[in-house]
Amino acid sequence: ILGYHLEQAYRYREQLGPVTDDDRALALRAAERLEHAGRRALDRRDSTATVNLLSRAAGLLPGESERRFELLQFAGEELGFMMELDRASEAFRQVIDGAGALENRLLETHGRIWQSVMTFWGDPDFGVRELLAAADDAARVFEELDDARGLARTHDWRAFTYSHMGRYADSEEEAARAIELFRRIGDRRLAVEQ
């Protein structure tokens, strides 16, 4: 509720004239509150609230803010799970473009693998082999940058892909790796979902 009121106060100030440093500080406070609420919604698997809150928080942050693209990444993931593929793809396009401009390979790679998943779910010409190749490419970056969350996700997508290929033993092995990494980084929610 506080995040909403801070957000509204900032939006009113924005409409009244040039944005000042005090106004920008107000926007950051609103974004922090909305992000906190959005992460709580994510933890309880309320996808609609997660997307709403994190998207609004991202909209309050400066256009070149790395945090903005991180929030869009999480919102895009939830949009994907909701099968809102066009909105998810747009979020990931913004993440890829923004992270690329910031030279943030890690965030850009997260956006790219998720964009590949959205393409797989929405384009019949993009098959399991293309998704597996995208997961392998992403895994190399995640290994190089020591990103356990990204590695866990790539094992998750490999398990998904191998299952679609009928390679069930490989799928089970990749799922076990994903679960172990999700547990290691303390993401109980994703470990349970596997």
Side-chain angles (χ1 to χ4, degrees), residues 84-104:
E84 292 197 32
L85 303 183
D86 290 339
R87 286 180 65 200
S89 291
E90 173 58 23
F92 295 130
R93 185 197 58 75
Q94 289 180 49
V95 169
I96 293 165
D97 292 348
L102 294 171
E103 297 182 1
N104 183 328

Side-chain angles (χ1 to χ4, degrees), residues 9-190:
Y10 170 73
R11 293 298 180 202
Y12 289 135
R13 287 183 180 182
E14 187 179 44
Q15 290 174 12
L16 291 174
V19 175
T20 67
D21 287 343
D22 287 341
D23 297 335
R24 282 186 276 282
L26 178 63
L28 291 177
R29 286 180 52 216
E32 281 178 15
R33 296 293 182 155
L34 293 172
E35 177 185 353
H36 181 71
R39 288 188 179 276
R40 285 196 343 255
L42 180 64
D43 287 342
R44 68 177 184 268
R45 290 311 273 157
D46 184 345
S47 295
T48 302
T50 299
V51 169
N52 178 340
L53 293 163
L54 294 183
S55 297
R56 287 168 46 207
L60 291 165
L61 296 171
E64 70 283 354
S65 166
E66 188 172 285
R67 191 82 199 122
R68 171 186 171 88
F69 301 117
E70 290 171 356
L71 295 177
L72 286 173
Q73 174 70 32
F74 283 111
E77 291 175 18
E78 289 304 300
L79 285 165
F81 291 130
M82 295 166 64
M83 295 309 288
E84 292 197 32
L85 303 183
D86 290 339
R87 286 180 65 200
S89 291
E90 173 58 23
F92 295 130
R93 185 197 58 75
Q94 289 180 49
V95 169
I96 293 165
D97 292 348
L102 294 171
E103 297 182 1
N104 183 328
R105 281 182 62 216
L106 182 61
L107 189 54
E108 183 178 4
T109 303
H110 276 283
R112 286 192 187 285
I113 183 59
W114 276 93
Q115 186 71 280
S116 295
V117 172
M118 296 306 102
T119 304
F120 176 77
W121 284 345
D123 182 353
D125 293 329
F126 190 89
V128 290
R129 284 178 173 57
E130 288 85 358
L131 182 55
L132 186 58
D136 290 344
D137 289 344
R140 282 190 283 279
V141 174
F142 295 143
E143 286 172 3
E144 177 187 333
L145 299 177
D146 196 29
D147 180 47
R149 182 178 181 272
L151 280 172
R153 269 295 184 202
T154 50
H155 286 299
D156 184 26
W157 292 124
R158 285 176 178 156
F160 171 80
T161 305
Y162 286 144
S163 176
H164 277 279
M165 298 169 84
R167 294 172 55 182
Y168 300 114
D170 291 332
S171 178
E172 189 175 316
E173 184 179 319
E174 291 293 334
R177 288 179 181 162
I179 290 168
E180 174 57 33
L181 281 169
F182 283 132
R183 284 183 180 150
R184 192 178 309 157
I185 62 174
D187 198 327
R188 184 179 172 278
R189 178 181 54 86
L190 290 175

